């Protein structure tokens, strides 16, 4: 928790549940990433937290942006981003969204299929395009599965075709999965993409760019490698494969930039036991899976939880949200422990929840209002 957030919570006692985010911390994380990978251009993945104060601060820092929809493109433009600084990185785009973004001056688009490439040729003629490769997501706590990316063979065919279709075959991309805790995942993906890059260059395609995606982790309950370790691994792999002839490098961090900058302040609604003899207490909070904590699905992301009784004796708990849905359980199998003193009415903080929380909050399920947001 940053001093600014601590002061805000103490002085304002904002209604719970709410997200409180320190925008200075966003700037610190952005700068840390810049110094870990000084040769890479940073395209902030807007979906992680599209709040206006976050986007405006990043515009001031001359960040670039990775947008996934027309609405995200518009949010970047409204926050002051130049259209040339926006990449339309979703490989699944509505035709109307492509047309609107292109008309506004966005000129960089992702694809991973012949069908999407055709849409781009028709609706964004002349645009720079990059092909997303399917890579392993091993080591990622929030993998992106096989939904995105294509094979090396298909990517080769499509990149050769792009030029003939009036598009500019600009580069290749991949995403190693979100909350990626292994630097090796980047090394392997770079190796795979670099082979195709060299092959296409030899075939006469004027490729200039490698987009290494996002995935850089936030520290939740478990430690993760420092960002410099990722920087070193990535630069080592890039130099090993490209030598002095490095292409432009792009990265698309989301979680790393905003995750650590925010916390959710919540209230304990009930602490109970299924049976008086049961050692496990059930702790129900006023926020759960549907209030924005979607990444607790499968107990994938394990947030740290601070309470007013930290440092006193603890016992095992299951932690759940306030709705009437049986899926609204945050943690039952992950061996969470909380103070025995914890009681109804206590305020608790879910730490490092600045990414992928506000955007996942549902609309009034069981009547609960969407998560309130405070940007400091
Ligand atoms: C979600 C996403 C990102 C951001 O991923 P993080 O794990 O939050 O860094 C980057 N690029 C693409 C294409 C994405 O879909």
């Amino acid at each position: 928790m940053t001093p600014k957030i601590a002061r805000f919570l103490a002085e304002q006692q904002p209604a719970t549940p709410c997200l409180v985010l320190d925008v200075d911390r966003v700037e610190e994380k952005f700068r840390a990433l810049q110094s870990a990978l000084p040769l890479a251009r940073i395209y902030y993945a807007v979906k992680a937290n599209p709040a206006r104060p976050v986007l405006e601060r990043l515009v001031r820092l001359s960040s670039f942006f990775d947008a996934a929809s027309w609405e995200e493109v518009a949010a970047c433009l409204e926050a002051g981003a130049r259209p040339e600084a926006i990449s339309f990185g979703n490989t699944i785009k509505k035709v109307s969204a492509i047309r609107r973004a292109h008309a506004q001056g966005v000129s960089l688009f992702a694809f991973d299929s012949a069908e999407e490439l055709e849409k781009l040729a028709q609706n964004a003629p002349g645009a720079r395009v990059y092909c997303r490769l399917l890579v392993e997501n091993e080591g990622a706590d929030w993998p992106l599965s096989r939904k995105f990316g294509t094979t090396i063979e298909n990517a080769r065919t499509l990149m050769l075709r792009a030029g003939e279709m009036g598009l500019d075959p600009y580069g290749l991309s991949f995403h190693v999965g979100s909350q990626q805790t292994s630097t090796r995942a980047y090394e392997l993906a770079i190796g795979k993409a670099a082979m195709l890059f060299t092959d296409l260059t030899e075939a006469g395609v004027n490729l200039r760019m490698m987009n290494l995606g996002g995935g850089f982790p936030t520290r939740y309950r478990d430690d993760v490698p420092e960002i410099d370790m990722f920087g070193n691994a990535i630069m080592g792999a890039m130099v090993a494969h490209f030598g002095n002839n490095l292409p432009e490098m792009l990265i698309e961090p989301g979680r790393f930039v905003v995750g650590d900058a925010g916390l959710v302040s919540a209230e304990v609604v009930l602490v109970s036991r299924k049976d008086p003899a049961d050692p496990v207490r059930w702790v129900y909070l006023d926020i759960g899976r549907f209030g924005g904590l979607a990444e607790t699905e499968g107990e994938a992301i394990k947030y740290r939880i601070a309470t007013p009784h930290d440092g006193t004796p603890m016992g095992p708990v299951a932690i759940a949200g306030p709705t009437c849905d049986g899926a609204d359980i945050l943690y039952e199998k992950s061996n969470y422990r909380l103070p025995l003193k914890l009681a109804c009415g206590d305020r608790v903080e879910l730490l490092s929840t600045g990414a992928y929380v506000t955007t996942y909050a549902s609309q009034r399920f069981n009547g609960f209002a969407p998560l309130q947001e405070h940007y400091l």
Side-chain angles (χ1 to χ4, degrees):
M1 183 180 330
T2 71
K4 226 203 268 183
I5 294 179
R7 205 176 325 121
F8 176 82
L9 288 175
E11 288 172 4
Q12 307 285 323
Q13 304 252 327
T16 66
C18 64
L19 176 86
V20 189
L21 188 144
D22 184 344
V23 185
D24 290 341
R25 187 90 184 114
V26 172
E27 177 164 344
E28 280 170 38
K29 299 299 275 193
F30 182 87
R31 291 189 190 280
L33 198 48
Q34 269 182 327
S35 56
L37 274 169
L39 294 183
R41 270 207 313 275
I42 301 177
Y43 283 70
Y44 170 63
V46 174
K47 74 175 185 289
N49 187 322
R52 183 68 169 261
V54 170
L55 297 183
E56 283 179 348
R57 178 65 66 96
L58 291 169
V59 166
R60 266 182 29 213
L61 295 167
S62 302
S63 181
F64 291 69
F65 296 90
D66 173 52
S69 63
W70 161 251
E71 288 78 0
E72 283 188 356
V73 170
C76 293
L77 293 171
E78 282 160 21
R82 295 171 298 115
E84 308 81 61
I86 300 170
S87 166
F88 205 149
N90 194 343
T91 54
I92 305 152
K93 296 175 285 301
K94 278 190 171 178
V95 166
S96 59
I98 296 171
R99 296 180 75 95
R100 291 173 91 167
H102 187 63
Q104 290 293 320
V106 174
S107 67
L108 181 58
F109 295 83
F111 71 94
D112 66 1
S113 66
E115 293 77 5
E116 188 76 7
L117 187 63
E118 185 63 47
K119 280 158 66 182
L120 291 172
Q122 299 245 337
N123 300 289
R128 292 173 298 158
V129 295
Y130 59 93
C131 186
R132 180 156 166 185
L133 306 175
L134 189 58
V135 297
E136 293 298 326
N137 277 196
E138 205 172 312
D141 288 344
W142 194 256
L144 300 168
S145 79
R146 288 177 49 79
K147 182 169 173 184
F148 308 104
T150 187
T151 61
I152 294 287
E153 297 70 31
N154 196 40
R156 185 177 193 281
T157 307
L158 297 179
M159 288 303 280
L160 285 167
R161 202 183 291 165
E164 298 158 14
M165 297 167 78
L167 295 163
D168 177 3
Y170 178 52
L172 302 173
S173 80
F174 56 77
H175 196 300
V176 295
S178 200
Q179 187 65 8
Q180 176 56 261
T181 57
S182 160
T183 55
R184 186 89 191 117
Y186 290 91
E187 294 170 338
L188 292 173
I190 288 169
K192 188 171 176 175
M195 271 202 298
L196 176 61
F197 197 102
T198 307
D199 181 27
L200 281 167
T201 305
E202 281 165 8
V205 180
N206 181 24
L207 276 195
R208 288 148 285 159
M209 183 277 281
M210 280 271 282
N211 180 340
L212 314 175
F216 308 103
T218 289
R219 181 178 179 267
Y220 296 112
R221 207 174 62 167
D222 299 325
D223 275 333
V224 295
E226 293 292 331
I227 194 62
D228 291 341
M229 309 259 294
F230 289 92
N232 290 340
I234 285 172
M235 279 320 294
M238 288 298 289
V239 170
H241 291 285
F242 292 99
N244 286 332
N245 216 356
L246 285 179
E248 292 170 41
M249 286 166 59
L250 272 57
I251 52 174
E252 300 172 335
R255 186 187 303 279
F256 181 83
V257 177
V258 287
D260 205 32
L263 60 73
V264 165
S265 178
E267 183 182 314
V268 176
V269 180
L270 178 70
V271 181
S272 64
R273 294 176 204 258
K274 298 291 161 197
D275 182 276
D278 196 338
V280 176
R281 290 161 300 149
W282 279 73
V283 173
Y284 300 90
L285 304 177
D286 61 358
I287 184 170
R289 181 77 47 81
F290 302 100
L293 305 177
E295 290 195 316
T296 58
E297 167 75 34
E299 311 197 12
I301 299 294
K302 297 180 179 62
Y303 297 115
R304 278 176 293 147
I305 302 176
T307 79
H309 313 293
D310 289 350
T312 66
M314 304 213 281
V317 290
I319 305 172
T323 70
C324 298
D325 192 307
D328 192 8
I329 295 173
L330 306 181
Y331 306 114
E332 197 179 358
K333 306 184 182 86
S334 299
N335 299 316
Y336 267 78
R337 295 171 68 80
L338 287 173
L340 297 168
K341 278 190 189 160
L342 194 71
C344 168
D346 282 342
R347 285 184 85 121
V348 299
E349 285 109 32
L350 294 109
L351 304 177
S352 304
T353 41
Y356 302 119
V357 172
T358 56
T359 42
Y360 274 133
S362 68
Q363 290 286 333
R364 303 210 171 266
F365 180 45
N366 272 156
F368 297 116
L371 191 62
Q372 296 299 301
E373 302 171 46
H374 306 282
Y375 295 89
L376 315 178

